[in-house]
Amino acid sequence: MVKHGHPTYRLGRIKEYATCTHFSLALVALSDLTNPSTISIYTTPLLSLPHYHSLSIFFLCFKNFLRFKKQIPQIKKNHISELNAIKIFQFHPRKSQSIPMADDRRGVVGYALLPKKQQSFIQDSLLSLCKSKGVDLVKIDQDRLLTDQGPFDCVLHKLYGEHWRKQLEEFQIQNPHSTIIDSPASIERLHNRISMLQVVSELKIESETDTFGIPKQIVIYDKETLFDRQSWEFLKYPVIAKPLIADGSAKSHKMALVFNHEGLNKLKPPIVLQEFVNHGGVIFKVYVVGEFVKCVKRKSLPDVSEEKLKSLEGSLSFSQVSNLTSDERNGDKYYKLMDLEDTELPPQSFITDIARGLRRGLKLNLFNFDVIRDARIGNRYLVIDINYFPGYAKMPGYETALTDFFCDLVGKSWSEEKEKDGIDKRQLVCNCDVEVRKIVSNTCCSDGEEQEKSPILQV
């Protein structure tokens, strides 16, 4: 067994720490080498690691560290090394979302998806991009216990049921630094069409020009309430009838547009009745991947005029709604004539604020929500639906957004692991003399390097 102080052991620790987010720990591991002539012994194998540019900067910083340490020998070694590491790496910008790492370590994201979701989401383009950034996507064997698999830096899933929930809980206990995306309890909130939109009503977002909310709606649990018009007289026809449960099943997607009392006969409670708002036949789908927010335009149900409503009876399923249009603009022909290029997207900052508010309120990282613009009030937007882990492959550039997200998760997982070493960067900085800070600032960027404003280490 290699002893703690042996050079081979020290090299292993340095290789483990020499990542973009843990250079300071690598510097501490090297701090005993006060003789610059011995650095070459360790430099050669380290430069064989990926991301040569980052490592070359690392050794430039170490050279400056030695110079600084020689100038102030009276300061305790550990305080100098850690303080200097923090200051030095403030000038090194994050070049990409890649995860630099040693040869024997890569980020691993385990995924547990139903076959249909796996086929649409796990594309070769996503696998390839993730691999190039140092992250491997590994399929979880659903016939085996999750705790018997891995190790995983992150578990990505879209499975339901008590058995799976229990497996996730046990895995989290055994792997506290791994991230579960997302919590089953948070996902479950989106399975009810009333609770999913409640969070929208709780958001407080300031905007001088735009407003948002949800359509008027009511949940109907029985036939008696359904046919008691006084119970929901605040809703005007037409109304949209949606199943209360939104669990992704085929049944949960069966929706209808109801034009009058006669159309209620085909409905089976529990259902949600939601007012239909004319919105120009355009729906905005907002995809959320962690901090990433992307809004796209899609064709939607056509508007229903007051005149047209008088001639309509009963109800139509959403697959039949195209029949609402006039004969010469019926069906697919009508949708092809619609030109979405002329439709203005909602303000990006406004949509981003809503997305981030929903992310906090729902405690979810992967979801999308549907937004319509009220045709009666041009700056009024309504959130009508929220879906967990949607069809991201339909979003332009989904590979880049998801890869960056995975890289951030892996980096977070590794950071939590490294914190077990017990180095408190904040306290070390506070304990050091102000004059030392000035000297570090003046020496760490010699050799022609300019100091940047974006620090790698957040202290």
Side-chain angles (χ1 to χ4, degrees), residues 394-412:
K394 299 177 183 178
M395 180 184 77
Y398 96 102
E399 299 93 341
T400 301
L402 268 299
T403 299
D404 288 350
F405 176 64
F406 294 149
C407 287
D408 286 340
L409 289 178
V410 172
K412 176 185 175 184

Side-chain angles (χ1 to χ4, degrees), residues 200 211-215 380-384:
V200 180
T211 62
F212 73 98
I214 62 174
R380 174 73 172 170
Y381 295 91
L382 301 172
V383 178
I384 61 174

Side-chain angles (χ1 to χ4, degrees), residues 108-115 117-119 121-124 126-127 130 136-142 146 149 152 154-159 164 168 181 389 406:
V108 181
V109 176
Y111 62 88
L113 307 170
L114 293 176
K117 170 61 72 173
Q118 179 180 317
Q119 185 177 6
F121 181 75
I122 306 296
Q123 301 284 338
D124 288 342
L126 177 63
L127 292 171
C130 284
D136 296 323
L137 302 186
V138 177
K139 181 180 178 180
I140 292 173
D141 187 348
Q142 297 175 34
L146 181 58
Q149 303 178 63
F152 301 122
C154 170
V155 173
L156 179 74
H157 73 102
K158 193 177 182 181
L159 299 179
W164 175 246
L168 288 174
I181 299 297
F389 205 150
F406 294 149

Side-chain angles (χ1 to χ4, degrees), residues 396-432:
Y398 96 102
E399 299 93 341
T400 301
L402 268 299
T403 299
D404 288 350
F405 176 64
F406 294 149
C407 287
D408 286 340
L409 289 178
V410 172
K412 176 185 175 184
S413 175
W414 290 6
S415 295
E416 291 177 353
E417 284 187 48
K418 296 302 184 292
E419 286 178 3
K420 291 188 298 183
D421 290 340
I423 297 177
D424 188 339
K425 300 179 184 63
R426 296 176 185 271
Q427 190 62 41
L428 286 171
V429 171
C430 292
N431 289 342
C432 292

Side-chain angles (χ1 to χ4, degrees), residues 7-35:
T8 303
Y9 174 87
R10 187 181 299 147
L11 176 58
R13 299 296 287 174
I14 295 166
K15 288 176 68 175
E16 180 181 353
Y17 290 144
T19 70
C20 187
T21 55
H22 299 106
F23 273 149
S24 64
L25 297 177
L27 191 57
V28 172
L30 276 170
S31 62
D32 288 334
L33 301 176
T34 55
N35 185 352

Side-chain angles (χ1 to χ4, degrees), residues 100-113:
M101 60 199 72
D103 291 326
D104 58 348
R105 182 162 191 184
R106 294 175 61 83
V108 181
V109 176
Y111 62 88
L113 307 170

